[in-house]
Amino acid sequence: MDFLIQISYFAAAILFVLGLRRMSSPLTARTGIHWAGAGMLVATLITFFWPGMENYLLMTAAIFIGGVAAWWTGQKVSMTDMPQMIALYNGMGGGAAGAIAAVELLRGEFHSDIFLTLAVLGALIGSISFSGSLVAFAKLQGLIRKPLRFPLQHGINLLVFALAVGYGGILVTTGDTAGINLLVFFGLALGLGIMKTLPIGGADMPVVISLYNALTGLAVAFEGFVLNNAAMIIAGTVVGAAGTLLTQLMAKAMNRSISNVLFGSFGGEQGAEESVEGAMRPIDVTDVSIMMAYAERVIIIPGYGMAVAQAQHKIKELMDVLLARGIDVKFAIHPVAGRMPGHMNVLLAEADVPYDRLYDLDEINAEFTQTDVALVIGANDVVNPTARSNPDSPIYGMPILNADQAKNVVVIKRGQGKGFSGVENALFFADNTRMLYGDGQAMTGELIQAIKQY
Amino acid sequence: MDFLIQISYFAAAILFVLGLRRMSSPLTARTGIHWAGAGMLVATLITFFWPGMENYLLMTAAIFIGGVAAWWTGQKVSMTDMPQMIALYNGMGGGAAGAIAAVELLRGEFHSDIFLTLAVLGALIGSISFSGSLVAFAKLQGLIRKPLRFPLQHGINLLVFALAVGYGGILVTTGDTAGINLLVFFGLALGLGIMKTLPIGGADMPVVISLYNALTGLAVAFEGFVLNNAAMIIAGTVVGAAGTLLTQLMAKAMNRSISNVLFGSFGGEQGAEESVEGAMRPIDVTDVSIMMAYAERVIIIPGYGMAVAQAQHKIKELMDVLLARGIDVKFAIHPVAGRMPGHMNVLLAEADVPYDRLYDLDEINAEFTQTDVALVIGANDVVNPTARSNPDSPIYGMPILNADQAKNVVVIKRGQGKGFSGVENALFFADNTRMLYGDGQAMTGELIQAIKQY
Amino acid sequence: MIEGFTALYIFMLSAFTGYEVISRVPVILHTPLMSGSNFVHGIVLVGAMVAMGHAATTLELTIGFIGVALAAGNAVGGFVVTERMLEMFKSAKGQH
Amino acid sequence: MIEGFTALYIFMLSAFTGYEVISRVPVILHTPLMSGSNFVHGIVLVGAMVAMGHAATTLELTIGFIGVALAAGNAVGGFVVTERMLEMFKSAKGQH
Ligand SMILES: NC(=O)c1ccc[n+]([C@@H]2O[C@H](COP(=O)([O-])OP(=O)(O)OC[C@H]3O[C@@H](n4cnc5c(N)ncnc54)[C@H](OP(=O)(O)O)[C@@H]3O)[C@@H](O)[C@H]2O)c1
Ligand SMILES: NC(=O)c1ccc[n+]([C@@H]2O[C@H](COP(=O)([O-])OP(=O)(O)OC[C@H]3O[C@@H](n4cnc5c(N)ncnc54)[C@H](OP(=O)(O)O)[C@@H]3O)[C@@H](O)[C@H]2O)c1
């Protein structure tokens, strides 16, 4: 039996690695999760045959409860709410790692001090990831509205961290792992996760969640060593390393650094607000519809506002109407448009916009000069020319879509609202730009009706 | 001490992986080999302290002999002869793995049959790699001139292979590993390497050497398990996997498949030779010099002939002369021009042609139409338009440099000699092509003199 | 028991593997990949089952129960969400 | 002793690492990289030294001697040749 268990774990580890590998390329991504899923299934089923186990009935109940709840919420959640669900499930993983550590520490049977240390480390990391992820979930879900900042925040967090590590050290050195110290230790670790996450702004959450994801992986690996479970060691370490790199990549794509996300306060303490000359010029639907109906080339630039307005289906309809008139329609997708990487791609795919109409920044930026109308729907920062021109701007250096180079620019947004970065957008004041004020979905709908008349 | 040895091996393994990683990017390649070198040094030095060793004096002598010989030959060899030196050193590694196996089999102390099996497998693979690499060396060095083919070749090789595996099985099952069977086993394995390599053409050797490189890695890993040596296990396996992939990539870059290299006979049994209409038109140095002296844009396309003629320094001189006249000079480098990947890059770098004048296939192919003179020096297959147009041609589908689209094409070669593939080149018969017959180095020299007169 | 240098080797090699597998992933796959790796550490379920299976006291059993339920949520939820997101990329038609 | 499943894990993870490290290498680096990985398996020197160091009979000693000499050739030659080739790429000036 032991051999069968080992070989299943081995197969699971291979499937995880191959699955992740496939997930990192768009062509094979979907099969990747299936491979990893197969590995998980095999590993879970074979574990029922682990020698000397008890409590089967309760165990099955626990799996059932956790599994069904997650299945149901996972199916129900809308695409825009994905990041918080990932945070939630990730927190559960961290909590599970913490729970394993708690049980093992209570039992107190360790082969050596190294394993004891690993158990404590895993407990610390897992607990931070658990409570931190739950806060991230609450923030994104709108349960906690504002970044909570308190005085001496960094100092206090550091103190709590030091205390948690100290108590961990006490557990290891005294070997008394089932007493009150254990409780204090877990309390400190959980508190740290909360306090560390509260001050971070909602829009930075994807990076933070990715970081906690990597931490959970590490915690799982550590507990894997404690339980002598190769599948956990390898899967956990792989996720720990992959997640660390992914966190860096995500931060870079958003033009941030990880330490800036964790310790900075983006958008809070900006320098002098640059004043933009000129005024925004509004336009009405009829004029826009004429402009577009007789254009030859149109590029649509969606942003966070499209997600807020859930306008993707209307936009797809608009595309169809324009295509039917023989107009060349392309979508320009900025890598960090929206609030999570790939946000626009997912939403537009959901609305059945064919993938080959979506163009990357690099692919499309040269085409704006030959474009009649650039239609900006709920995007702001990703089309802000200030990022090219003003070295003092907080978004300076971020690559942007050159919508300003199109012959005409139409911007659909609700009002004077700023983007995520809080920076004024020079594009809205440009001579070739007109503002179509209103909700993204409603305005696109009106536009479609108007164009259909020609 | 054991701890120190283990930690050194651990460090060496990390340095090897990081070094290889750095070597696979042009920016960091050079530091990569230094990292790996540091790992090797640490691992070798610490091994002198391995507990219970004897024969130190002889051992040092052996290291000295092998090391100095390799150092000296490695320093002396010219850039064009690199592939055979790699083959030679690789063969030595395979031989060493075989020798380790031989010693261990003679001593016959194995912890279990699995280790005995691994020792035998490593011996088989290492010996094949040893003798095969030596044959590859001899071929490239010109010691063996022609591909040696004999009747029923594949059948006989298969038989020898089966016999070698069979004798290996006898060694494992009888456990009598120090008798005559061992000798027969090694004889068969060594013979197999020779017979497998003899029929393969010289120009396929880079792929074959890369394959033997991967095999040596695998043999080293297997012997690492036998000796319980983690550094060998990891370094060997990493090279085994990396080498396998590299072999595939190389074969692909040359438009071949690995099985085609091993079992096919490229260039031997072609279909009906396509006839090309028209005639080659010769030109003399004076006319070429006028054409080039008054050109605006020149692209130079080097090939295997440049390596044969050692013309790279003259070509650099030609570039300087043209640049001094304000002419725009670029080099178009085909990935498999020459006889090893990167051949042209290495030679031109040796002659101090700046790297930023070298352009990849993808970068330059669009520019030929605006080019006044495309100067082809000793290249043939890589500019053969047949690869684009004729589906029956053996080189069909290989991406080529579109030299034929330049306004004028000048080809420097010695005569009617064909390229590696043996296919007639339609470019040489094109209306805008002129042939400058002669040795690459000599002709370039004359050209320089002639241009200097204007 | 995986311990000592063997443990270190496995840890190092897994880290390399994880790092290399992810390097050079396109930005649009960042979120699905985060979700996918989130699913993979759902393997903690296996450990939680073993811990709960050997629980002796009621306290251990309770914590074990919570651990298993959380781990199952991680695994199942991670899978569902990742699968749903990647399904969206189906219209890729061989490009990108 | 590295054996059983631990051995399998190390083998598998090393193979993944090696494969991933090399993937997506540009064609012009194929030859130097072949040479570089050729150098890396020169670590066989370490094993040859151990084998020779424990040789008992003259036959074993002789074979061990040959093994060590060959391995040293692999390591030293591989290094020299790779280093010479990669030095040629020095003029890269941050491009590619
Ligand atoms: N993608 C990621 O992974 C990620 C993660 C974190 C942060 N970020 C950051 O988020 C920003 C994304 O840029 P973006 O251009 O997509 O968005 P943005 O700069 O945040 O701007 C969104 C705009 O949409 C408008 N809007 C909101 N609701 C709307 C509705 N219902 N109908 C129409 N318009 C509406 C808003 O203006 P009104 O209020 O006037 O309507 C706002 O100006 C970047 O700065 C990026 O760095 C991205
Ligand atoms: N790069 C690699 O890794 C690699 C490895 C194996 C095979 N290959 C294959 O090798 C070929 C490389 O193409 P290529 O265009 O570079 O070379 P090629 O097609 O082999 O042609 C070389 C040409 O150079 C001429 N030449 C020889 N010596 C010369 C001298 N001293 N002066 C002037 N010209 C001389 C020859 O014609 P004359 O005899 O008339 O002078 C010959 O036509 C491809 O088919 C490729 O697949 C490449």
Side-chain angles (χ1 to χ4, degrees), chain A residues 323-343:
Chain A
L323 285 179
R325 294 183 62 89
I327 300 169
D328 179 35
V329 185
K330 290 177 177 170
F331 287 83
I333 308 295
H334 192 282
V336 297
R339 287 295 179 271
M340 62 179 182
H343 205 164

Side-chain angles (χ1 to χ4, degrees), chain B residues 137-318:
Chain B
F137 167 77
K139 282 187 165 247
L140 288 175
Q141 193 66 12
L143 304 178
I144 304 177
R145 292 232 169 258
K146 277 204 148 279
L148 243 105
R149 302 217 172 82
F150 42 92
L152 287 177
Q153 187 177 292
H154 293 323
I156 296 177
N157 284 349
L158 202 70
L159 187 72
V160 177
F161 178 68
L163 277 174
V165 172
Y167 265 88
I170 293 177
L171 291 179
V172 174
T173 45
T174 64
D176 168 22
T177 55
I180 181 79
N181 284 343
L182 186 65
L183 207 65
V184 179
F185 169 71
F186 270 106
L188 285 168
L190 291 170
L192 186 57
I194 298 176
M195 286 162 62
K196 191 70 230 159
T197 322
L198 274 179
I200 300 175
D204 275 338
M205 280 303 148
V207 179
V208 175
I209 297 171
S210 179
L211 186 67
Y212 285 143
N213 182 37
L215 287 184
T216 304
L218 207 60
V220 170
F222 286 170
E223 300 309 329
F225 280 114
V226 174
L227 298 176
N228 191 29
N229 186 318
M232 278 171 76
I233 296 176
I234 290 173
T237 311
V238 165
V239 171
T244 306
L245 177 58
L246 196 57
T247 310
Q248 286 169 358
L249 292 176
M250 283 173 85
K252 215 178 112 205
M254 287 173 207
N255 217 29
R256 310 286 313 269
S257 79
I258 294 180
S259 75
N260 191 267
V261 168
L262 290 181
F263 303 109
S265 46
F266 191 56
E269 19 175 299
Q270 251 137 247
E273 178 72 27
E274 64 271 56
S275 58
V276 179
E277 311 275 298
M280 300 197 196
R281 276 166 286 248
I283 192 172
D284 64 17
V285 170
T286 322
D287 289 350
V288 177
S289 66
I290 297 176
M291 198 191 266
M292 295 192 72
Y294 298 104
E296 278 181 32
R297 262 182 286 273
V298 170
I299 295 181
I300 300 176
I301 304 167
Y304 178 58
M306 176 183 87
V308 176
Q310 288 287 320
Q312 61 270 28
H313 297 279
K314 281 285 169 210
I315 288 177
K316 151 81 161 112
E317 216 182 310
L318 176 64

Side-chain angles (χ1 to χ4, degrees), chain A residues 349-372:
Chain A
E350 186 195 359
D352 277 327
V353 174
Y355 196 86
D356 51 6
R357 295 223 167 256
L358 311 188
Y359 291 84
D360 267 358
L361 197 86
D362 301 335
E363 293 169 343
I364 202 144
N365 253 349
E367 293 192 26
F368 279 106
T369 47
Q370 291 109 50
T371 300
D372 302 304

Side-chain angles (χ1 to χ4, degrees), chain B residues 6-7 9-10 14 21 230 234, chain C residues 5 8-9 12-13 16 19-20:
Chain B
Q6 290 300 327
I7 200 115
Y9 283 0
F10 186 71
I14 291 188
R21 191 182 148 72
I234 290 173
Chain C
F5 272 97
L8 259 185
Y9 277 113
M12 169 195 78
L13 290 169
F16 271 129
Y19 193 91
E20 290 295 332

